Amino acid sequence: AAERQAEALETAIVERRRIELERYVSVASFADSPSGAFRVWPLQLLFHNIGWYLVFEEDAIGTGVGLIRSERLDRLALRRSERGNRRTDDAHSQALRRLELLLHHSGGIYFGNDLQAQLRLASPNARQRNRQLVTLRFCCQGWAFAFIREGLQRYPIEHTRFSKPLPGEHWWHHANAPHVLEPGSAADTHPYPVELDLPPWTVERDIDLRNWLFGFGAGIRIENPAALREEHRQKLEAALGVYQGV
């Protein structure tokens, strides 16, 4: 059934058809996940982490430009493919260009829930795009930094900055790796800074970012933004609390 649905979605994408989807009631969801039935313009099927996702543009009646979102394919039912509602190749291509920029800057498939913020980040003006980004800065212990500095494909290389070695240190790094930040004191437990320029929705709510970053546990110390620093601290305290008295 899933294969048949995927084939029907691929046909709708190729033929630029509007479709009606319904999200299953019993599946996992986030606070801003769509519910019930909704109409969208399907853009692409993507494999991400462990599942297939449908990336679509919400049907924005009267404006022609809608929010771009993604949902796991197995959480959706394709209720209808509308033969009488198709859009132009140009409109489809413009949506794909926006999607390409969103994927590049977000480093994942979560694009927030603010259409105007998406449009600003997808601007053809590079300076305007860069103004939409916020800087995540954290410092690493040596073992964590060794893993992090190898991840050149996770986020845009032009918006990534790594620590230089401590005085007297010599370790291999890729020739294209942006090791431009001054390290902290050798006496610091976390002497290696890392900076990433990311969309605000990625820093504020993206699960993939948190799974990766928080997965280093005490191996990192978040400095900015303050809200993410506090979230990390609370996660670590909650984990410790589970084992108290055991």
Side-chain angles (χ1 to χ4, degrees):
E3 290 180 0
R4 288 196 298 272
Q5 176 162 289
E7 291 174 0
L9 287 169
E10 287 176 340
T11 299
I13 292 170
V14 170
E15 296 182 354
R16 316 295 190 244
R17 292 184 189 174
R18 189 174 68 179
I19 61 173
E20 182 177 311
L21 300 170
E22 185 173 359
R23 202 168 191 279
Y24 294 119
V25 176
S26 59
V27 297
S29 63
F30 299 101
D32 57 355
S33 296
S35 60
F38 52 100
R39 290 186 177 91
V40 303
W41 300 101
L43 298 176
Q44 213 167 63
L45 292 173
L46 294 175
F47 190 83
H48 181 70
N49 291 338
I50 61 171
W52 283 96
Y53 286 75
L54 173 66
V55 185
F56 55 83
E57 182 181 3
E58 292 182 346
D59 182 32
I61 299 173
T63 64
V65 179
L67 190 74
I68 292 179
R69 307 179 63 110
S70 66
E71 278 289 328
R72 255 181 58 166
L73 206 55
D74 55 1
R75 293 172 180 159
L76 300 172
L78 175 60
R79 295 305 186 202
R80 186 165 49 134
S81 180
E82 301 179 352
R83 295 184 177 276
N85 283 293
R86 303 184 185 186
R87 64 177 177 178
T88 64
D89 289 345
D90 184 59
H92 184 78
S93 296
Q94 287 183 25
L96 287 178
R97 284 195 290 272
R98 278 197 289 138
L99 172 59
E100 183 179 3
L101 285 169
L102 293 173
L103 285 168
H104 176 72
H105 286 290
S106 300
I109 59 171
Y110 177 68
F111 313 123
N113 53 16
D114 185 331
L115 173 59
Q116 295 307 313
Q118 282 191 359
L119 294 175
R120 288 192 295 269
L121 189 64
S123 165
N125 186 305
R127 288 187 178 181
Q128 182 171 335
R129 291 200 302 270
N130 291 341
R131 284 198 297 268
Q132 311 311 313
L133 305 175
V134 298
T135 299
L136 164 61
R137 179 181 169 93
F138 57 95
C139 294
C140 310
Q141 292 181 348
W143 70 267
F145 186 54
F147 284 101
I148 289 169
R149 67 176 182 254
E150 293 177 357
L152 299 185
Q153 305 301 319
R154 184 173 292 274
Y155 295 104
I157 192 70
E158 70 271 23
H159 296 305
T160 300
R161 295 172 293 281
F162 293 142
S163 173
K164 298 176 182 177
L166 288 167
E169 282 189 334
H170 301 282
W171 29 256
W172 180 89
H173 61 81
H174 195 281
N176 294 331
H179 288 272
V180 296
L181 300 177
E182 293 300 325
S185 167
D188 190 344
T189 57
H190 297 67
Y192 304 104
V194 175
E195 292 181 351
L196 303 170
D197 299 328
L198 300 168
W201 57 74
T202 301
V203 176
E204 292 167 5
R205 295 182 296 278
D206 186 59
I207 298 299
D208 284 343
L209 172 68
R210 281 153 175 76
N211 288 342
W212 171 68
L213 195 60
F214 294 177
F216 290 104
I220 63 160
R221 182 182 67 223
I222 298 174
E223 296 191 348
N224 285 300
L228 191 62
R229 176 188 175 104
E230 178 63 17
E231 185 180 340
H232 185 223
R233 187 187 66 80
Q234 291 178 2
K235 294 278 188 184
L236 293 174
E237 288 183 349
L240 285 173
V242 171
Y243 293 101
Q244 287 182 357
V246 176

